[in-house]
Amino acid sequence: MALAEAGARGRLLRWPRVLLFGDSITEYSFQESGWGTYLAERLVRKCDVVNRGISGYNTRWAKLILPRLIPESTSADSIVAVTIFFGANDSALKELNPKQHVPLEEYAANLKSMVQYLKSVDISADRIILITPPPLQEAAWEKACLAKGDKLNRSNATTGQYAQACVQVARECGTDVLDLWTLMQKNQDFSSYLSDGLHLSTKGNSFLAAQLWSRLENKLSALPSLLPYWRDVDHTNPEASLL
């Protein structure tokens, strides 16, 4: 059978998608032992995990590009989950990092705007997970800043205010939320979760992956495996199994 004929006979295969939208902590999530890699491994044959992390971005910039990532023409059914993971840059101190800083009230408004946009394109609240920024280990991050010729430009207390705002937005919008800032500090020495005081270490990636999977597993457990297991393919008539 010609490939064109096979394609015409078979239904178009569309993998559902999980979209990870965030800053560098999301962008780096597909590195070895990253939390995005963990999700992709567990969802292979069920859906695609799409990394749309953009290093250095804040919610002011993110809300502008979200409609370009998920346009109104997108089939809402094809997106089974979206994570929105910003705040590590928004919470930078204005006087020391004005380019990335976003005021607290605007940060909350931007998150709310992104959730409302997703709802407007028929991605329901139960498919949206907000993730707060993780805690900041100031001594380690100051060392990283000094190595670049900068001063310490973030504080854990300020980051916590942004985390609380994120939790409040989720409550108001009816979405799930993963409060990393609080959960990681239940371990007194949370520095082990961070590689440089800001970004996640291997342990931090594993922690986030486990926390996120506990929320996604129930949402995605009903997704079928795409295409039959190889032992179940009729080798005498593969078209009957695969088209």
Side-chain angles (χ1 to χ4, degrees):
M1 179 186 296
L3 287 179
E5 183 182 348
R9 281 187 54 188
R11 292 171 296 155
L12 183 63
L13 276 171
R14 293 186 183 276
W15 259 244
R17 290 184 293 156
V18 173
L19 183 75
L20 311 180
F21 187 39
D23 53 34
S24 57
I25 303 176
T26 298
E27 182 174 328
Y28 302 161
S29 72
F30 272 24
Q31 294 178 349
E32 186 176 1
S33 301
W35 59 274
T37 301
Y38 177 100
L39 295 178
E41 287 176 352
R42 276 148 188 78
L43 292 170
V44 68
R45 292 279 298 280
K46 286 180 174 273
C47 60
D48 288 333
V49 178
V50 181
N51 187 333
R52 292 295 179 264
I54 309 162
S55 179
Y57 273 50
N58 56 33
T59 56
R60 182 180 293 165
W61 304 342
K63 75 172 185 178
L64 297 177
I65 60 175
L66 182 59
R68 300 177 64 194
L69 299 177
I70 306 177
E72 292 183 15
S73 59
T74 299
S75 171
D77 292 341
S78 70
I79 297 179
V80 292
V82 179
T83 60
I84 300 178
F85 188 4
F86 289 95
N89 297 317
D90 298 70
S91 60
L93 302 176
K94 181 179 180 180
E95 61 274 17
L96 293 171
N97 190 347
K99 183 164 186 175
Q100 291 178 301
H101 169 79
V102 172
L104 183 61
E105 289 186 5
E106 183 189 343
Y107 166 74
N110 291 340
L111 285 179
K112 189 174 293 186
S113 175
M114 286 189 274
V115 171
Q116 290 171 342
Y117 174 76
L118 292 175
K119 289 180 178 180
S120 77
V121 294
D122 295 326
I123 296 173
S124 52
D126 64 329
R127 286 183 274 169
I128 303 169
I129 302 175
L130 300 186
I131 306 176
T132 77
L136 182 83
Q137 213 292 322
E138 293 178 14
W141 184 242
E142 183 174 27
K143 185 177 180 180
C145 290
L146 290 173
K148 300 175 184 176
D150 298 326
K151 296 179 180 179
L152 177 65
N153 56 21
R154 289 164 169 79
S155 80
N156 191 39
T158 301
T159 303
Q161 294 175 348
Y162 284 70
Q164 290 170 10
C166 180
V167 171
Q168 181 61 32
V169 169
R171 187 177 295 123
E172 293 173 2
C173 294
T175 71
D176 202 349
V177 64
L178 175 50
D179 184 0
L180 269 192
W181 191 85
T182 298
L183 288 170
M184 283 187 167
Q185 289 185 94
K186 288 183 177 179
N187 178 339
Q188 290 184 343
D189 182 21
F190 68 88
S191 62
S192 62
Y193 291 129
L194 305 168
S195 62
D196 57 3
L198 176 69
H199 300 95
L200 301 181
S201 64
T202 298
K203 182 178 178 181
N205 272 282
S206 295
F207 181 86
L208 172 53
Q211 292 289 332
L212 191 53
W213 182 245
S214 71
R215 289 160 170 77
L216 284 173
E217 189 173 14
N218 288 338
K219 299 177 190 292
L220 306 181
S221 60
L223 289 175
S225 289
L226 295 163
L227 296 173
Y229 180 56
W230 71 270
R231 291 187 185 277
D232 297 330
V233 175
D234 181 354
H235 69 282
T236 64
N237 182 20
E239 291 88 350
S241 301
L242 303 176
L243 296 180

